[in-house]
Every structure is written in C-alpha cells, then in structure tokens.
Amino acid sequence: MYSLSLLYLFCVSLFFTSIYGITYTKEEVLKRTDNNVYYCKDNICVSSSEYRTDYETIIIPNNQGRNVTYITDSCSSRDIDIGACNSKECSNDSQCLSNKCIKGHCIYNEDNPVVECQYVRTRHNAYPFGDPKGYKMQCGLPYGYECKSNDGCSSYNCNNGVCGTEDDSGCHSTCGIGQSIVFAYGVVPLVILFILISCCICCSRYHNKNKKEVTIV
C-alpha cells in the first residue's frame, strides 16, 4: 500500500512537470543562454514560455510545491491615479508578483520587487553587426521600475532613472557572420588597394631611376 502511494505521488509529480515544465534557482537561470523570459519568487524561477497562462499572469510554485498564479505587470502609483494603468486588475496583494495591490492594480513595490530575467545585450557600442560576447542572462527589475544603473534592470537598460526595454540592436548567433562580411568586403579590399598603390609607387620610382641613368649615359 505504501509503495502504491509513492508511485501515485511520483506519477502526479511527473504529470504536472510535463504540463508546467521545470523550475530553476536564480543561479541556474543566470547560466542559461536561451531567449525565454524568467520570473523568480523566493529563489524559485520559471520560464514564461512554460508557466505563463496568459500575457499578464505567471504560475510559480511556492515553497510547498503548490502552484500559485501571479499578475506580473505592475504600474506606478501615478499611472494608477490618472487611469493610465492597463494591467490586469487585482483584489488583494497575494495576487500580485510584486505583492502589492492598490486601487485594483498591482503596483511597483520596492520592498518586494519583481525579479525578471532575460537574455539581453550588455554592450551598447559594439560592432555594426553586434558582438556575441556582449550578451548574457540578466536578472533585475522589469520595464517601468525606477533604477540607478543598468545592472538593476532585467533589460540592462536604465534610461533616465527608469528601466527601459532591452537593447537588441545587435545580434546573437549571426554576429560572427556579420563581422566576417565586414572584414571580407571592407578590410580586405582596403588592404589590396594599399598593396596596389604601394606597388605603383615603387614601379614609378624604379622607372624614374632607370630613366635618369639612361639620360646620364
């Protein structure tokens, strides 16, 4: 009987894992290089592609293993006051990933900030075709939160004290190809042109030298 109970629990766990995927710690997420967006709570992180039920909510298991649905989007108190907050409505703090619900909307909470992780570009002045070494998984505050530096934002883009969207003006796996194209069609022709000009100058000097020798004779 005891063995059957264990088998039942194993099957149930396997079933929910197949539906919702797996969870990660924040340290494990930081080692990943995929393009999924991750949300973390109490060092339990999930992929939005596996645990998101809709565009505005995410399912994160708690420490007891029970799946809890949270509203991910938050607004500033100013946007809520002027009616500019379009996030999903809440009725209590526990519904918000930020753990703070005011006037029917989840609000930014400095005491319990939302932790979002995404694979972003961290070099804003790289090569024309991007720099593959300038990408990493970045965990921090999501879009709209107040920030002091790029390190504080999941987008690695703190713009005028507010986390902005990620800078993806570069590239990922195609960076090497782009740089090869620049080298092949930009640098190589310049080198060839320099060699040709040098050869022409040398030939011209050699010709002038021979001409002077003939004139003297």
Side-chain angles (χ1 to χ4, degrees), residues 28 37 40 43-44 47 56 67 81 84 90-91 94 96 103 106-107 128 151 155 163 171 184 190 205:
E28 290 173 335
V37 176
C40 304
N43 202 32
I44 299 175
S47 169
E56 298 176 309
N67 289 322
D81 290 338
C90 58
S91 57
S94 62
C96 303
K103 297 180 180 179
C106 296
I107 191 173
D151 289 324
S155 62
C163 291
C171 60
L190 289 176
R205 288 179 177 177

Side-chain angles (χ1 to χ4, degrees), residues 127-147:
Y127 301 107
F129 284 83
D131 183 359
K133 295 181 180 179
Y135 284 87
K136 71 172 184 177
M137 184 65 73
Q138 172 75 10
C139 292
L141 299 171
Y143 174 83
Y145 267 80
E146 293 184 359
C147 56

Side-chain angles (χ1 to χ4, degrees), residues 2 26 30 57 61 77 79 165 204 206 217:
Y2 181 72
K26 185 178 177 180
L30 288 172
T57 59
S77 57
D79 287 343
T165 57
S204 177
Y206 179 78
V217 173

Side-chain angles (χ1 to χ4, degrees), residues 107-123:
I107 191 173
Y108 302 146
N109 186 2
E110 294 182 359
D111 297 328
N112 187 53
V114 174
V115 178
E116 181 184 73
C117 306
Q118 53 184 331
Y119 194 61
V120 295
R121 188 183 185 195
T122 59
R123 294 185 183 179

Side-chain angles (χ1 to χ4, degrees), residues 49-66:
S49 64
E50 297 176 345
Y51 280 83
R52 188 180 283 280
T53 55
D54 54 47
Y55 183 74
E56 298 176 309
T57 59
I58 191 80
I59 296 174
I60 302 179
N62 59 18
N63 292 324
Q64 289 73 42
R66 184 172 65 88

Side-chain angles (χ1 to χ4, degrees), residues 139-213:
C139 292
L141 299 171
Y143 174 83
Y145 267 80
E146 293 184 359
C147 56
K148 295 181 179 179
S149 66
N150 291 336
D151 289 324
C153 303
S154 66
S155 62
Y156 200 77
N157 182 19
C158 181
N159 189 8
N160 295 325
V162 178
C163 291
T165 57
E166 66 273 17
D167 176 13
D168 198 22
S169 57
C171 60
H172 293 259
S173 60
T174 58
C175 290
I177 298 175
Q179 292 169 15
S180 299
I181 293 174
V182 171
F183 181 80
Y185 291 95
V187 178
V188 173
L190 289 176
V191 172
I192 294 175
L193 181 62
F194 175 77
I195 293 173
L196 290 175
I197 293 175
S198 299
C199 290
C200 290
I201 293 174
C202 291
C203 290
S204 177
R205 288 179 177 177
Y206 179 78
H207 177 73
N208 291 334
K209 182 179 179 181
N210 289 339
K211 187 176 181 180
K212 288 181 180 179
E213 290 178 353

